[in-house]
Amino acid sequence: MNLLRRAIQQVQKRFFIDHGDYRRTVLLAGTGRSGTTWVEDIVNFDNSFRPMFEPFHSRQIDLIRHWRYRQYLRPDVADERYLGPASAILSGKVRHPWIDRHNRRFIARTRLIKDTRVTLLLKWIKRHFPEIPQLLLLRHPCAVAHSKLKLNWDTHLDVFLDQSDLMCDFLSPFLDAIRSAEGPFDGHILTWCIENYVPLRQFAKGEILVIFYENICVAPEPEIRRIMSFLGKPYTDAILDDLRRPSTLSRNDSPIRTGEDLVTSWRGDITAGQVSRARELCAVFGLDGLYGGQSVPQIGGVDVLPVSSVHR
């Protein structure tokens, strides 16, 4: 039976029908290691979506090979080099082993895109594809940095500094802080700040749904109800069953994905000095109030937008 199930899954990843209407796409974004794959699994608990994994990864997908890694575009940019590929991706016309690794549908009329390299493009996508509902997932910056450090991930700060429009529009006031990064921990905190600051500055209330990883862990039902309501999908208690299953990308040593232990587990490896340094860097971007030194958010998702433009 297991062999048959695996065979069917392989067929579903390669041979399926996608009806290709971008208006029936949901976009879930967040910085890497923020729990996006887990939330994707929760939203798609009933396998109603074709899940599309990281289709805006320019180092994996040939169609956007000419894009920057973590591309930023001003919302009014109407260049076909970006619009054409984005339309193909958002309409589900792109197939790739990287993208379709989690697909379990033969016929797809809706799709759920999960991507951790698209936060700087969210407002541009909203301008050109306004019917697509967007979710932005936030997780504590120290938890994200802790997870990335364990995996020895690069910070990719140079990718942001090399984009002149991004620097001009958002990051030039923070150049000294970015250049002051001392080691990978600082770099990962700064990446978290940049990838969240830009969309939080661009969007107004009601344009995007901001959700918190920690809220799903500690008090899942209200946060999941918000998500389903935003997407126009009914809530059912069956969704909570997915909270007991780790995502397909979670590490073998990850704790159970519910409750306080997951929210605070990173504190065992992150020093008080690092926590203080993270808050200092977040304060430069005006983002320190999101968590305020605590492990759980101190502000509701509705109240996040738009983040202050005051540069400290």
Side-chain angles (χ1 to χ4, degrees):
M1 183 61 70
N2 288 335
L3 289 175
L4 177 60
R5 185 181 296 111
R6 285 198 292 268
I8 292 173
Q9 289 173 349
Q10 290 304 313
V11 170
Q12 289 171 326
K13 292 174 184 178
R14 296 183 59 188
F15 305 104
F16 57 88
I17 298 171
D18 190 316
H19 287 274
D21 183 347
Y22 82 82
R23 293 169 296 184
R24 295 180 64 83
T25 295
V26 171
L27 178 55
L28 168 63
T31 193
R33 306 309 297 173
S34 61
T36 51
T37 301
W38 181 46
V39 174
E40 174 196 58
D41 292 342
I42 294 171
V43 173
N44 198 29
F45 76 102
D46 56 357
N47 194 36
S48 58
F49 293 97
R50 169 196 169 191
M52 297 179 65
F53 178 84
E54 311 283 357
F56 290 96
H57 192 324
S58 60
R59 297 177 183 176
Q60 291 285 346
I61 308 304
D62 288 340
L63 181 66
I64 57 171
R65 190 74 66 176
H66 58 289
W67 291 27
R68 298 256 192 182
Y69 190 67
R70 291 176 165 85
Q71 178 74 55
Y72 167 75
L73 290 173
R74 288 170 170 161
D76 59 355
V77 169
D79 191 327
E80 188 58 29
R81 292 177 301 168
Y82 301 105
L83 280 173
S87 179
I89 289 171
L90 296 168
S91 299
K93 296 177 181 177
V94 178
R95 298 165 183 251
H96 192 281
W98 171 266
I99 294 173
D100 296 310
R101 59 171 67 185
H102 300 151
N103 182 49
R104 294 183 289 116
R105 288 198 64 86
F106 280 123
I107 299 176
R109 292 180 173 84
T110 58
R111 58 209 61 81
L112 173 58
I113 292 176
K114 193 284 297 191
D115 207 294
T116 60
R117 296 169 183 84
V118 76
T119 62
L120 304 183
L121 280 175
L122 291 178
K123 189 64 174 183
W124 179 82
I125 291 173
K126 189 66 176 179
R127 174 71 62 86
H128 297 281
F129 306 92
E131 299 89 348
I132 294 177
Q134 299 185 15
L135 311 175
L136 178 63
L137 178 65
L138 301 184
R139 186 183 185 186
H140 198 292
C142 288
V144 168
H146 171 251
S147 184
K148 289 182 175 181
L149 288 169
K150 279 185 169 292
L151 294 170
N152 198 31
W153 280 16
D154 196 338
T155 63
H156 299 292
L157 285 178
D158 58 313
V159 172
F160 308 119
L161 297 176
D162 287 345
Q163 298 190 59
S164 59
D165 286 350
L166 177 61
M167 294 301 300
C168 179
D169 294 352
F170 292 103
L171 300 188
S172 59
F174 312 121
L175 185 57
D176 288 344
I178 296 171
R179 286 179 171 168
S180 74
E182 297 181 1
F185 179 82
D186 279 14
H188 289 310
I189 296 296
L190 286 165
T191 293
W192 182 94
C193 289
I194 293 166
E195 291 186 325
N196 288 307
Y197 174 80
V198 172
L200 291 177
R201 280 282 296 124
Q202 290 181 306
F203 282 92
K205 290 181 175 67
E207 292 185 316
I208 192 172
L209 186 70
V210 177
I211 53 179
F212 287 96
Y213 173 88
E214 292 82 7
N215 287 348
I216 299 175
C217 292
V218 176
E221 185 174 335
E223 200 79 339
I224 294 174
R225 284 187 181 276
R226 288 182 62 235
I227 295 171
M228 293 302 171
S229 176
F230 184 76
L231 299 179
K233 290 174 64 69
Y235 172 84
T236 169
D237 288 339
I239 300 173
L240 295 180
D241 293 340
D242 275 54
L243 293 173
R244 302 180 180 93
R245 293 197 297 267
S247 82
T248 50
L249 294 186
S250 58
R251 301 189 317 272
N252 291 332
D253 63 342
S254 294
I256 297 172
R257 285 187 165 272
T258 55
E260 297 285 351
D261 57 343
L262 184 54
V263 170
T264 61
S265 60
W266 55 268
R267 288 189 177 272
D269 296 317
I270 300 297
T271 68
Q274 287 176 310
V275 174
S276 177
R277 174 60 171 164
R279 193 171 182 189
E280 174 187 332
L281 292 173
C282 289
V284 173
F285 289 80
L287 299 177
D288 53 317
L290 292 180
Y291 287 89
Q294 304 301 310
S295 300
V296 295
Q298 301 299 294
I299 187 171
V302 175
D303 301 320
V304 172
L305 300 170
V307 74
S308 172
S309 62
V310 176
H311 305 136
R312 305 180 195 180

